[in-house]
Amino acid sequence: MGVAGADVSGFVEPVELTGQRWVRLEPLRREHLPEIAAAAADGELGRLWFTAAPGPDEVTAWVDGRLAAQAPDRGLTFVVRRLDGTLVGSSSYMNVDAKNRRLEIGNTWYVASARRSGVNAETKLLMLGHAFDQLGCIAVEFRTHFMNLTSRAAIERLGAKQDGILRSHQLMADGSRRDTVVYSILDVEWPAVRNNLRYRLDRYA
């Protein structure tokens, strides 16, 4: 576990995380671009105006943007694969605050075929486990658009608690303002959250 004054250099170094039933997470590389483009052709992603999922014409810009934010003291983006190798989505460590042992999990999206499956539950189990058990985080945040009721419900099912709402927090590309709902899970809550995620995965088996 991290302690005050500890060396936090290289806090979120690239790492692969493999689950037991559903997914393998790999650090994003530019070589993933063709597979991400195929996933973006799903037809739904670009229509979800309140998410960060790339549309079919935005894949290169999305990959470039995520790679630009990928550094040990800033963040790490994963591609999410089913264990059969099919790329089905992405999720990121972001807004890293290594000194205070905090980070956010966000920019998460999945193709339609991966939803209502164990993909998200195991992805979050792996990412939260790495954050708390290997990086020694004391808190992991989740943030989403106030209007994204699906995302809010999914975050709450994890066991995250709502911290508050940042009103007019961001300006969207269409000129609208985003009210951002902030949730978090603390290290002392992680054992219960982990048990809940494992229980949910058992139900998908």
Side-chain angles (χ1 to χ4, degrees):
M1 297 290 290
V3 295
D7 180 15
V8 293
S9 60
F11 189 54
V12 285
E13 294 285 355
V15 62
E16 290 194 6
L17 305 173
T18 302
Q20 296 183 351
R21 301 183 182 180
W22 289 89
V23 298
R24 182 175 78 252
L25 310 185
E26 301 173 0
L28 175 67
R29 303 188 304 275
R30 192 163 182 82
E31 290 77 9
H32 290 128
L33 206 155
E35 291 177 282
I36 294 171
D42 179 273
E44 290 188 9
L45 299 180
R47 292 201 298 268
L48 301 177
W49 64 274
F50 42 65
T51 76
D57 300 325
E58 303 164 340
V59 173
T60 299
W62 182 87
V63 170
D64 288 345
R66 297 315 308 153
L67 288 175
Q70 191 154 290
D73 60 346
R74 295 186 63 196
L76 175 64
T77 293
F78 294 100
V79 296
V80 179
R81 294 188 185 278
R82 290 186 184 272
L83 292 182
D84 67 6
T86 306
L87 192 150
V88 294
S90 178
S91 193
S92 298
Y93 289 140
M94 48 198 290
N95 293 323
V96 170
D97 182 357
K99 180 179 179 181
N100 293 299
R101 294 284 170 179
R102 301 178 67 95
L103 52 77
E104 176 188 347
I105 293 177
N107 270 313
T108 300
W109 56 266
Y110 302 107
V111 298
S113 63
R115 298 170 208 158
R116 293 174 293 279
S117 72
V119 166
N120 186 56
E122 191 162 62
T123 296
K124 294 304 188 292
L125 180 64
L126 291 169
M127 293 181 71
L128 286 165
H130 186 69
F132 287 120
D133 300 334
Q134 274 69 54
L135 302 182
C137 286
I138 63 172
V140 173
E141 286 188 6
F142 299 85
R143 298 187 176 202
T144 192
H145 197 300
F146 180 83
M147 296 294 184
N148 192 342
L149 301 182
T150 300
S151 177
R152 290 175 63 179
I155 292 169
E156 290 168 8
R157 283 196 300 271
L158 292 174
K161 306 294 193 304
Q162 183 175 319
D163 295 322
I165 300 174
L166 302 175
R167 293 170 56 78
S168 291
H169 178 230
Q170 293 178 342
L171 292 176
M172 305 295 285
D174 63 1
S176 64
R177 298 182 184 185
R178 164 173 154 156
D179 288 349
T180 297
V181 188
V182 183
Y183 296 84
S184 66
I185 297 171
L186 304 182
D187 55 351
V188 294
E189 298 167 336
W190 166 232
V193 170
R194 179 179 56 211
N195 288 344
N196 182 53
L197 283 168
R198 288 174 174 169
Y199 171 75
R200 287 173 55 191
L201 282 167
D202 285 342
R203 299 185 69 184
Y204 285 118

